[in-house]
Amino acid sequence: MTNILDKNIQNALFNYILGLGDDRLILGHRLSEWCGHAHILEEDIALGNIGLDLIGQASAYLSLAAEVENKNRTEDDLAYFRNEYEFKNFQLVEQPNIDFAYTIVRQFFFDVYEGIFLEELAKSKFEQMAGIAKKSIKENIYHTRHSRNWILRLGDGTEESHVKTQTAINDLWKFTGEIFSENENDNILINENFAPDLKPLKSKWNEIIKSVLNEATLEMPENIGFSSGSRSGIHTEHLGHLLAEMQIVARSFPGAKW
Amino acid sequence: MNEEQKLADFEARIERGEIIEPKDWMPERYRRQLIRMMSQHAHSEYVGMLPEGNWITRAPSLRRKMVLLAKVQDEAGHGLYIYSATETLGIDRKELLDQLLNGTAKYSSIFNYPSLSWADMGTIGWFVDGAAIVNQTMLAKSSYGPYARAMIRICKEENFHKKQGYEIITTLANGTAEQKKMAQDAVNRWWWPSLMMFGPTDKESPNSAELMKWKVKIKSNDELRQRFVDLTVPQAKAVNLTLPDPDLKLNEETGHWEFGHINWQEFYNVIKGNGPMNKERLKARNEAFEKGKWVREAALAYAKKHNN
Ligand SMILES: [Fe+2]
Ligand SMILES: [Fe+2]
């Protein structure tokens, strides 16, 4: 299928799938930073599981992106040999762990988006991409249950956990605006029924977030000061450090196999 | 039945090869020895996450990253599983964890060494999980049911751990000159500490005789160590890496590989807390515990509010 695509569409598709892969790779990487350092063994396992699912999905998307690009690159070339400005992940997912509240809030914002988004992406006319989406739906249900349960426990737990979680929500809120924004690249694919139209989905996300935060006695912030541009390579300062660590071994031995 | 008869009965059961279950009568000493041994094992799985956890974020390919993350996560599962098995002896995990955090409990000396390069991920899987398999295959026949069953389940995963480690080393050994150098360096650093993992020689091992009498252990430290050496030497040869022991040679008569003198002073030093990473490992565990305090409290408070 990929070799009969119009050049324009092929390029848009490559960028789009790259974004999907990068979101999951960077978020999975962040979760893997917890491994061995969580507050209880059960949570080491849970965060590790979710991280593994996400990196697995990332690997599938990046390998598909490489196939669409058709320039003899592999998923590892894409993960390890691109620079900050070539990464297209949401700024939300590159935000540092800071503490368990930040980690859970970041995850919850993403999981709810992912749940809504996957259902639509699974209908894509581009079957290989729809296939990955379908496969991740089950994983997402588990991820969302995990982050949602923690939002409730932290929000409605102790005074301290409530304050920490509300702080994380307030700080991370500005990164949530761009996850439903569309650019020209997306529009090309929406016209072809390759990518879902995100605009109608935003209100659904808002509703779910609002109701869970409400149940957790937490407040939903006002919609102000959204950052954007990650899909075209604009990031926060955190991404560079993450990539420096992630890519160091691969880049130190060019041409080596692992 | 008086205590003496109970003990005679118990030892007869052990003699017949019967499996002891949590509800069965057992001598206090048997229970205490098991708690000591099993909790050390659980702590080792838990602390053992740290040296490999150190490289997950730098794994050089997506596949390696996933395999390593899955592996370290398995170790968390092993820890959890063995803590639960230890709880069947009437002690709870919290108490065991306290002993780990305050430094009174022991864990495997091997995890007090640093993981310095990507090749260490290969060597740890190959040597350390390899040694664990030798040890745990024996423990799978242990007289205490919950421990034996935990070992059977865990051994399957350890085999995968060893395989992924040896695969990393094989790839490096067949790779560029720099990769090969990295692999050899890791082998040089991890070989002797891996031999020490089996514990003191039989002569110097204070608990061995009793553990073997009660069939908690079926084989002695020296027997297990020898088995590990015999298995590993050919594997090193197969990938053209040298084990750092000039005295290593095959005894044609016994069929065993004889090896040089183990630096027991180093071993006892590490056990006493003076290994290269003892303080850091304990600090990491304590930090995770302290930083997680508010989370555990929140979970508890939430459960109280919503479950009754
Ligand atoms: Fe293990
Ligand atoms: Fe293992």
Side-chain angles (χ1 to χ4, degrees):
Chain A
M1 165 144 203
T2 51
N3 50 7
I4 54 164
L5 288 174
D6 169 275
K7 263 266 165 285
N8 246 342
I9 297 174
Q10 180 190 13
N11 190 45
L13 206 46
F14 171 67
N15 284 318
Y16 188 80
I17 302 172
L18 215 46
L20 300 184
D22 289 348
D23 284 339
R24 284 142 194 89
L25 174 59
I26 300 302
L27 187 56
H29 180 99
R30 280 290 186 223
L31 291 176
S32 81
E33 292 173 358
W34 272 102
C35 193
H37 305 280
H39 63 275
I40 191 170
L41 262 171
E42 282 85 342
E43 202 55 37
D44 278 310
I45 296 177
L47 294 175
N49 253 329
I50 299 167
L52 260 177
D53 284 346
L54 290 170
I55 298 169
Q57 294 165 15
S59 172
Y61 283 122
L62 292 179
S63 131
L64 180 59
E67 197 185 313
V68 168
E69 187 194 33
N70 203 15
K71 282 184 183 160
N72 267 328
R73 287 207 279 184
T74 65
E75 66 267 36
D76 283 333
D77 293 332
L78 292 174
Y80 290 93
F81 292 92
R82 278 181 300 144
N83 296 318
E84 288 89 328
Y85 56 85
E86 295 166 295
F87 270 76
K88 297 181 185 301
N89 59 280
F90 297 138
Q91 292 177 5
L92 173 70
V93 298
E94 75 203 29
Q95 297 312 304
N97 291 336
I98 302 184
D99 65 14
F100 192 64
Y102 273 86
T103 302
I104 288 299
V105 169
R106 183 185 65 203
Q107 194 64 35
F108 179 60
F109 286 164
F110 182 82
D111 289 341
V112 172
Y113 148 78
E114 169 92 331
I116 298 166
F117 173 70
L118 282 179
E119 231 171 88
E120 300 304 314
L121 190 68
K123 299 175 198 156
S124 166
K125 235 177 72 190
F126 187 52
E127 279 170 27
Q128 285 162 284
M129 186 165 68
I132 303 173
K134 273 182 211 145
K135 264 180 64 188
S136 343
I137 288 177
K138 233 200 243 147
E139 294 175 344
N140 171 261
I141 292 172
Y142 159 71
H143 301 173
T144 310
R145 192 184 307 143
H146 174 264
S147 59
R148 180 184 179 277
N149 283 344
W150 271 117
I151 291 283
L152 296 178
R153 275 177 269 181
L154 298 180
D156 195 14
T158 62
E159 176 65 28
E160 186 184 8
S161 70
H162 178 90
V163 171
K164 279 187 151 74
T165 310
Q166 188 65 58
T167 307
I169 291 168
N170 298 346
D171 285 358
L172 290 171
W173 189 251
K174 68 174 177 195
F175 300 111
T176 63
E178 68 167 347
I179 60 184
F180 288 98
S181 70
E182 282 162 357
N183 55 28
E184 252 169 64
N185 194 75
D186 295 346
N187 289 329
I188 298 173
L189 298 174
I190 293 168
N191 284 336
E192 298 290 324
N193 285 327
F194 276 3
D197 186 357
L198 295 172
K199 276 177 284 223
L201 305 179
K202 169 90 199 216
S203 59
K204 207 168 162 188
W205 184 87
N206 267 316
E207 262 167 52
I208 299 174
I209 298 290
K210 193 170 188 170
S211 94
V212 176
L213 293 191
N214 205 20
E215 195 185 336
T217 72
L218 294 159
E219 304 239 331
M220 187 153 139
E222 300 283 316
N223 282 356
I224 41 157
F226 283 133
S227 69
S228 71
S230 58
R231 287 295 193 234
S232 47
I234 309 288
H235 291 281
T236 60
E237 290 177 353
H238 302 293
L239 183 67
H241 294 282
L242 184 152
L243 293 181
E245 186 172 340
M246 185 174 93
Q247 299 177 334
I248 178 75
V249 178
R251 288 205 184 200
S252 301
F253 303 88
K257 298 257 180 311
W258 301 100
Chain B
M1 234 195 300
N2 65 31
E3 289 290 305
E4 239 167 79
Q5 274 171 318
K6 280 183 189 165
L7 181 63
D9 267 15
F10 173 83
E11 291 191 329
R13 289 191 64 193
I14 297 275
E15 196 52 44
R16 289 195 297 272
E18 284 180 33
I19 300 297
I20 308 300
E21 295 298 336
K23 288 207 177 81
D24 298 349
W25 185 89
M26 61 184 82
E28 191 47 33
R29 183 83 192 142
Y30 178 81
R31 183 191 306 275
R32 282 222 307 271
Q33 284 281 34
L34 272 170
I35 290 177
R36 184 188 58 82
M37 198 169 145
M38 290 171 72
S39 62
Q40 279 184 16
H41 192 162
H43 297 327
S44 302
E45 304 282 356
Y46 198 6
V47 177
M49 295 172 73
L50 296 169
E52 287 173 293
N54 181 35
W55 282 89
I56 293 171
T57 54
R58 291 175 287 176
S61 78
L62 293 177
R63 189 169 81 87
R64 290 288 172 217
K65 198 182 189 71
M66 286 190 274
V67 172
L68 185 61
L69 179 52
K71 195 250 181 203
V72 180
Q73 196 207 14
D74 280 349
E75 307 298 4
H78 297 172
L80 207 51
Y81 202 52
I82 304 171
Y83 280 126
S84 302
T86 315
E87 286 187 317
T88 63
L89 292 159
I91 187 162
D92 66 47
R93 188 170 133 198
K94 197 186 164 306
E95 198 176 328
L96 298 173
L97 191 63
D98 282 345
Q99 295 169 0
L100 173 66
L101 296 176
N102 68 26
T104 52
K106 290 202 172 75
Y107 54 85
S108 182
S109 56
I110 193 83
F111 300 118
N112 291 315
Y113 290 84
S115 62
L116 301 177
S117 82
W118 172 251
D120 290 31
M121 299 305 98
T123 317
I124 292 176
W126 176 23
F127 288 172
V128 178
D129 291 87
I133 292 169
V134 168
N135 193 33
Q136 292 171 10
T137 307
M138 179 263 304
L139 291 172
K141 295 182 198 116
S142 164
S143 61
Y144 188 56
Y147 198 21
R149 286 190 292 275
M151 289 304 104
I152 291 169
R153 194 169 134 176
I154 286 172
C155 262
K156 281 192 199 128
E157 292 180 347
E158 299 298 3
N159 278 308
F160 149 71
H161 296 172
K162 194 211 142 183
K163 213 176 127 214
Q164 63 88 35
Y166 191 60
E167 201 184 284
I168 291 174
I169 280 297
T170 308
T171 311
L172 295 176
N174 293 317
T176 65
E178 269 179 310
Q179 283 179 304
K180 184 157 186 194
K181 203 168 142 195
M182 194 199 287
Q184 185 62 59
D185 165 69
V187 165
N188 293 348
R189 282 183 287 109
W190 288 94
W191 174 249
W192 289 109
S194 299
L195 294 193
M196 294 176 200
M197 264 180 88
F198 294 94
T201 56
D202 297 349
K203 283 184 301 210
E204 306 288 334
S205 177
N207 295 304
S208 270
E210 194 172 45
L211 291 171
M212 286 179 75
K213 180 181 79 176
W214 283 330
K215 295 190 182 164
V216 174
K217 286 177 68 169
I218 315 291
K219 288 192 171 117
S220 75
N221 294 353
D222 285 335
E223 283 176 291
L224 294 168
R225 185 165 18 243
Q226 185 63 56
R227 167 122 185 99
F228 172 73
V229 173
D230 290 343
L231 287 170
T232 311
V233 173
Q235 291 163 358
K237 286 193 188 302
V239 291
N240 286 318
L241 291 170
T242 320
L243 298 172
D245 180 358
D247 297 328
L248 204 58
K249 67 167 194 290
L250 184 66
N251 181 326
E252 302 279 355
E253 253 165 62
T254 61
H256 291 305
W257 283 90
E258 290 173 352
F259 50 92
H261 176 72
I262 293 174
N263 183 349
W264 290 112
Q265 203 186 335
E266 175 180 324
F267 173 76
Y268 287 111
N269 235 328
V270 176
I271 292 283
K272 271 190 225 129
N274 304 319
M277 294 294 280
N278 295 57
K279 291 206 172 60
E280 285 84 348
R281 298 297 184 230
L282 216 54
K283 192 168 154 233
R285 286 271 51 89
N286 273 290
E287 258 174 28
F289 188 77
E290 284 308 314
K291 278 186 188 155
K293 188 162 171 267
W294 70 270
V295 181
R296 290 189 301 276
E297 284 170 357
L300 216 63
Y302 181 84
K304 261 194 199 149
K305 273 189 237 179
H306 293 268
N307 289 353
N308 25 342

